Amino acid sequence: MRLVHLDLKGAAPRVSYLEQVFPLLSQLGANGVLIEYEDMFPFKGELEILRSPYAYSEEDIERIQQLAEQHKLEVVPLVQTFGHVEFILKHEKYQHLREVERFPNSFNPHVPDTLALLKSILAQVIEKHRRSTWIHIGADEVFHLGEGMDSKSWMSHHKGDVGTMYLKHIKEVLGFLTAQYWGLRVLMWDDMLRKISVGALRGEGTGMAVLAEGDAGRATAGPAALAGRRGHRLAEVRGGGTPLCPHGAHRAVLARWWLSLSLSLSLSLSLSLSLSLSLSCRYDHYSVLCELLPVSIPSLAICLQTLVNGGFTEEAKRKVLDVLGLESVQLEQSTCEGRGAFPGVEIYHMVEQVNGHLKESILKALEEESAIKGWFSPYHRKRQFGNPRNMESFGSKVLKLHEDWESFVRDLRAQLERIYFPDTVEEWLEENVNPYLDQLRDLVRDYR
């Protein structure tokens, strides 16, 4: 299995864009999509509070699965069941389920309402994914586990540790899934398991019908990942690059490394093989947006073809260039040459402009223009006092720069609105454009 992990904590694309992307993923070698909905799922009833105002509809969820089936992509829904549950625990209604009262990151596994809530969430998601033979329960990065009063009390009375407490909760989740959904297979991340001794896994972990996934973004596989018997191995490639542009070379190396490790594990432990390429648009529910999906496509294509070909060979490179309509790719520089012909390529090039020129051109105009520094300083602007002769020496240049960037941003906004919902468009522009363009806007306002 070669899964593309769509992490929808932020910048969730419209279904109309997925209609263009899914055939591309299939063409590049993916055969599945791991979908982490978070608040984009159309929760109903008491869970409706978890929905984003722009959540997918039930019809959207069905359409996504139809598209996946049409392009031979297995859909694996991901429901976080321990950590990364900020989208749940931020609500006052569920604050009593926090491991540590002031942190919304992780569930308290000792409160009966925790498992009851998880059963409701899992049931609604699974009900809308009847075609899926897999479910992913997350369970990574359970920050502050063991720090809550209930956990300290449990460990004291049961002479246990954080590892056994973690496994106890996971077994309860797995017990529900195996009892209610016969034949549904389970995946989870393995970073928490790496911290647990092999002995503890063989003891408390007995009956866990799952071999956890590896996550290249956090650590290498440890003995905990090897403690299962026959199972399913999945590695993840993510991270690297800036919030605007991903680093293709870094991810290709990770993909090749995980492929080598996973193949050796498959041979030595009789495991079937899966690898996951993660497109994280936000690292947690509260963080800023990272790269956008259209900007990630060249990096994703490189990684997929690296997995298909066992490395970024000449054959893999030719396939990437042909499918994406590019002339060349430079891994180390994370650059592509050519106009490109992939979905969202306009945004790819426009983000390059923002990343490479917006800040530089504006700061150059504001800080290196001597007439601005000498005759139109913050002191002059605050008091609306200046010499027209000196102001005219820079005015036309600044007005032209302002007009050009405003026109560019209007076009960028229009392109973003074709793919994203209004909240994503506003957040991305506020984070990546406005901090610089607002300085120019303020100067032009004062000049006028």
Side-chain angles (χ1 to χ4, degrees), residues 168-387:
K168 178 179 178 294
H169 176 71
I170 296 302
K171 284 176 68 177
E172 288 174 343
V173 172
L174 293 175
F176 164 72
L177 291 171
T178 54
Q180 295 295 317
Y181 304 100
W182 180 255
L184 186 64
R185 292 175 288 181
V186 183
L187 294 167
M188 61 184 289
W189 300 129
D190 80 335
D191 60 304
M192 297 296 293
L193 295 175
R194 292 194 201 112
K195 304 170 187 176
I196 304 172
S197 69
V198 174
L201 280 171
R202 285 176 175 156
E204 186 66 31
T206 299
M208 287 177 61
V210 58
L211 184 63
E213 306 172 75
D215 183 347
R218 298 180 189 121
T220 58
L226 311 181
R229 295 175 183 165
R230 294 182 62 85
H232 200 85
R233 176 84 192 156
L234 195 150
E236 184 193 27
V237 178
R238 66 186 261 180
T242 69
L244 292 183
C245 299
H247 198 299
H250 171 74
R251 291 182 178 177
V253 169
L254 280 177
R256 183 68 185 88
W257 184 87
W258 270 112
L259 181 62
S260 299
L261 175 65
S262 299
L263 285 171
S264 65
L265 289 172
S266 299
L267 292 171
S268 61
L269 298 174
S270 299
L271 308 178
S272 52
L273 172 66
S274 280
L275 294 109
S276 167
L277 301 173
S278 183
L279 297 170
S280 293
C281 295
R282 200 191 297 279
Y283 284 104
D284 75 35
H285 191 74
Y286 286 86
S287 73
V288 297
L289 291 172
C290 303
E291 70 229 39
L292 299 173
L293 179 50
V295 181
S296 304
I297 283 179
S299 171
L300 174 63
I302 289 167
C303 289
L304 277 170
Q305 278 298 298
T306 296
L307 298 182
V308 170
N309 292 278
F312 195 55
T313 61
E314 281 302 313
E315 182 181 354
K317 187 174 183 179
R318 282 196 302 273
K319 179 75 171 182
V320 168
L321 296 178
D322 289 345
V323 172
L324 301 187
L326 296 169
E327 295 174 9
S328 68
V329 292
Q330 305 298 326
L331 277 188
E332 290 304 323
Q333 292 76 29
S334 290
T335 57
C336 302
E337 294 181 5
R339 284 305 306 165
F342 55 88
V345 68
E346 300 86 357
I347 290 176
Y348 177 89
H349 289 301
M350 296 178 97
V351 169
E352 277 191 322
Q353 289 293 310
V354 170
N355 195 36
H357 303 294
L358 175 66
K359 178 180 178 181
E360 178 186 357
S361 68
I362 291 175
L363 293 184
K364 184 176 181 180
L366 299 186
E367 295 177 4
E368 295 184 11
E369 179 63 58
S370 61
I372 292 178
K373 295 183 73 173
W375 282 271
F376 204 56
S377 70
Y379 178 88
H380 295 94
R381 292 165 61 185
K382 183 177 180 180
R383 291 160 179 80
Q384 298 186 341
F385 171 78
N387 188 326

Side-chain angles (χ1 to χ4, degrees), residues 4-74:
V4 173
H5 176 195
L6 298 176
D7 188 348
L8 305 182
K9 291 182 180 67
R14 297 177 186 271
V15 176
S16 57
Y17 184 62
L18 296 179
E19 289 179 355
Q20 303 173 61
V21 170
F22 278 15
L24 182 73
L25 299 183
S26 182
Q27 195 175 2
L28 287 167
N31 53 21
V33 284
L34 177 64
I35 306 181
E36 186 169 358
Y37 289 104
E38 278 226 352
D39 58 358
M40 287 302 293
F41 188 81
F43 291 108
K44 298 188 296 184
E46 290 188 0
L47 300 180
E48 192 170 346
I49 190 175
L50 303 179
R51 294 175 58 163
S52 160
Y54 300 101
Y56 294 140
S57 66
E58 293 184 17
E59 292 74 20
D60 289 334
I61 301 296
E62 176 61 24
R63 179 61 180 148
I64 288 170
Q65 292 175 89
Q66 289 174 353
L67 288 168
E69 192 171 21
Q70 182 181 341
H71 298 289
K72 297 179 172 58
L73 297 170
E74 172 97 13

Side-chain angles (χ1 to χ4, degrees), residues 134-173:
W134 295 91
I135 181 77
H136 195 305
I137 61 170
D140 60 316
E141 296 184 339
V142 188
F143 299 134
H144 309 292
L145 182 62
E147 296 177 16
M149 294 305 297
D150 289 343
S151 288
K152 290 178 180 178
S153 175
W154 186 92
M155 288 188 288
S156 173
H157 286 88
H158 294 80
K159 297 181 180 179
D161 57 17
V162 171
T164 55
M165 190 166 58
Y166 174 85
L167 291 174
K168 178 179 178 294
H169 176 71
I170 296 302
K171 284 176 68 177
E172 288 174 343
V173 172

Side-chain angles (χ1 to χ4, degrees), residues 33 76 97 112 117 165 206 228 261 293 325 386 396 402-403 423 436:
V33 284
V76 181
L97 302 182
L117 174 63
M165 190 166 58
T206 299
L261 175 65
L293 179 50
S396 59
H402 174 252
E403 180 185 335
D423 57 340
Y436 312 110

